């Protein structure tokens, strides 16, 4: 388990300079919230952490991102292994059109685990971690698409956890959910940070204030300010941060 240190990170999409000289430290077993107006670079940044921007034509990354002792952009880095260690949860729940059971074991199966008892253990363990086991334990063979939106998102979290990541990246994971489902995901995040480092992009400043240990404010591809969440929301050092968290713009 390790934290993440980002130094002098720049991201270009062709001629567009999307992230500008980003420097940030994300501590082990904490929740780091990324806030800022739409188009400010939050999602682009989170995708540099598991090299998903590699899949974007004309994307170019400069600088260092270190997870432990490894610079993840070194030429020798195994990108598949990197992505295994960085679980990703997207804005809209995206379960596969398979059973609940098969959703959770999809990754472990691909990496060679065939023992039925081992797969059953993986399913129960990770559905419990995602606080979903009691709701679905009698319907593991049912389609994941029959679950509610909030249950689907928790299933996607269980699917990510089944790969035994060190870091969980969440890109607005509750924006498509109702308030009750959102509350369950937020409570879950509070439990998960005991074992994982979590980076969450959120459009909701209330959510950032509720669930994160530290918050980074992005604006036009730059980090304006990064600090303990309470300080960002009560005593920000930069006037632009104050204007944003007080609702004057964004």
């Amino acid at each position: 388990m390790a934290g993440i240190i980002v130094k002098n990170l720049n991201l270009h999409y062709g001629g567009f300079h999307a992230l500008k000289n980003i420097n940030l430290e994300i501590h082990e077993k904490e929740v780091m919230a990324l806030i800022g107006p739409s188009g400010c670079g939050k999602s682009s940044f989170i995708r540099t952490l598991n090299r998903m921007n590699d899949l974007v034509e004309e994307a170019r990354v400069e600088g260092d991102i270190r997870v432990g002792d490894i610079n993840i952009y070194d030429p020798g880095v195994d990108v598949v292994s990197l992505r295994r260690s960085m679980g990703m949860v997207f804005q809209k729940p995206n379960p596969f059109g398979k059973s609940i059971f098969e959703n959770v074991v999809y990754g472990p199966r691909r990496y060679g685990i065939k023992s039925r008892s081992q797969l059953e253990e993986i399913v129960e363990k990770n559905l419990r971690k995602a606080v979903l086991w009691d709701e679905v334990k009698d319907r593991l063979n049912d389609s994941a698409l029959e679950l509610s939106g909030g249950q689907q998102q928790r299933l996607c979290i269980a699917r990510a956890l089944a790969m035994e990541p060190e870091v969980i990246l969440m890109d607005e994971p509750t924006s498509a959910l109702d308030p009750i489902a959102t509350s369950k995901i937020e409570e879950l995040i509070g439990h998960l940070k005991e074992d994982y480092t979590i980076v969450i992009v959120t459009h909701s400043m209330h959510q950032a204030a509720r669930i994160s240990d530290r918050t980074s404010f992005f604006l036009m591809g730059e980090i304006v300010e990064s600090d303990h969440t309470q300080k960002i929301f009560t005593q920000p050092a930069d006037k632009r941060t104050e204007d944003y968290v007080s609702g004057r713009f964004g």
Side-chain angles (χ1 to χ4, degrees):
M1 178 67 71
I4 301 169
I5 297 175
V6 181
K7 287 188 177 176
N8 305 320
L9 174 70
N10 286 273
L11 171 67
H12 301 262
Y13 295 125
F16 175 59
H17 196 173
L19 294 174
K20 304 165 188 170
N21 202 36
I22 301 293
N23 290 279
L24 185 63
E25 187 168 349
I26 300 165
H27 299 150
E28 183 181 326
K29 294 185 183 178
E30 77 167 7
V31 178
M32 167 66 82
L34 312 180
I35 64 170
S38 296
C40 67
K42 306 183 299 290
S43 292
S44 290
F45 173 72
I46 209 171
R47 283 165 168 72
T48 65
L49 300 179
N50 64 354
R51 291 187 52 173
M52 281 190 69
N53 285 312
D54 290 14
L55 307 174
V56 179
E57 197 174 341
E58 293 193 318
R60 189 173 83 255
V61 175
E62 302 158 353
D64 281 2
I65 299 179
R66 293 193 171 271
V67 180
D69 298 329
I70 299 167
N71 178 6
I72 67 170
Y73 281 91
D74 278 347
V77 166
D78 181 338
V79 178
V80 174
S81 294
L82 170 70
R83 291 189 185 135
R84 280 184 70 184
S85 71
M86 299 269 184
M88 186 85 180
V89 179
F90 295 94
Q91 185 169 0
K92 290 185 178 174
N94 60 342
F96 303 136
K98 300 172 179 285
S99 70
I100 295 166
F101 185 95
E102 289 299 329
N103 265 269
V104 181
V105 300
Y106 180 81
R109 268 199 208 280
R110 288 190 68 190
Y111 285 95
I113 297 177
K114 293 185 168 58
S115 157
R116 181 71 186 185
S117 61
Q118 203 173 347
L119 292 171
E120 287 173 350
E121 190 179 314
I122 287 169
V123 168
E124 179 172 351
K125 180 175 82 170
N126 291 292
L127 287 174
R128 283 190 184 281
K129 281 186 178 180
V131 197
L132 189 57
W133 173 252
D134 288 339
E135 295 168 46
V136 302
K137 63 185 177 185
D138 299 323
R139 44 191 295 217
L140 297 177
N141 294 320
D142 290 0
S143 170
L145 302 179
E146 295 174 11
L147 297 173
S148 70
Q151 288 174 324
Q152 287 185 13
Q153 193 65 300
R154 281 181 283 147
L155 177 63
C156 292
I157 292 170
R159 188 176 67 195
L161 296 178
M163 297 302 292
E164 300 186 344
E166 295 183 17
V167 178
I168 303 172
L169 308 175
M170 296 183 163
D171 194 354
E172 299 199 17
T174 64
S175 64
L177 304 180
D178 62 52
I180 292 171
T182 294
S183 177
K184 286 186 176 180
I185 297 283
E186 290 182 359
E187 189 177 341
L188 171 57
I189 289 168
H191 294 307
L192 290 176
K193 77 171 185 179
E194 295 173 11
D195 298 306
Y196 305 92
T197 302
I198 299 173
V199 185
I200 179 169
V201 171
T202 178
H203 66 287
S204 165
M205 286 182 285
H206 293 297
Q207 182 171 76
R210 284 193 299 265
I211 67 171
S212 68
D213 300 291
R214 293 195 306 138
T215 295
S216 297
F217 171 48
F218 280 69
L219 187 64
M220 298 176 68
E222 300 180 71
I223 291 182
V224 172
E225 190 170 351
S226 182
D227 211 324
H228 293 288
T229 294
Q230 186 176 5
K231 188 168 187 304
I232 289 287
F233 283 98
T234 60
Q235 294 177 300
D238 192 290
K239 178 77 162 57
R240 292 168 295 174
T241 312
E242 182 182 348
D243 287 348
Y244 184 73
V245 300
S246 65
R248 291 194 190 102
F249 79 92

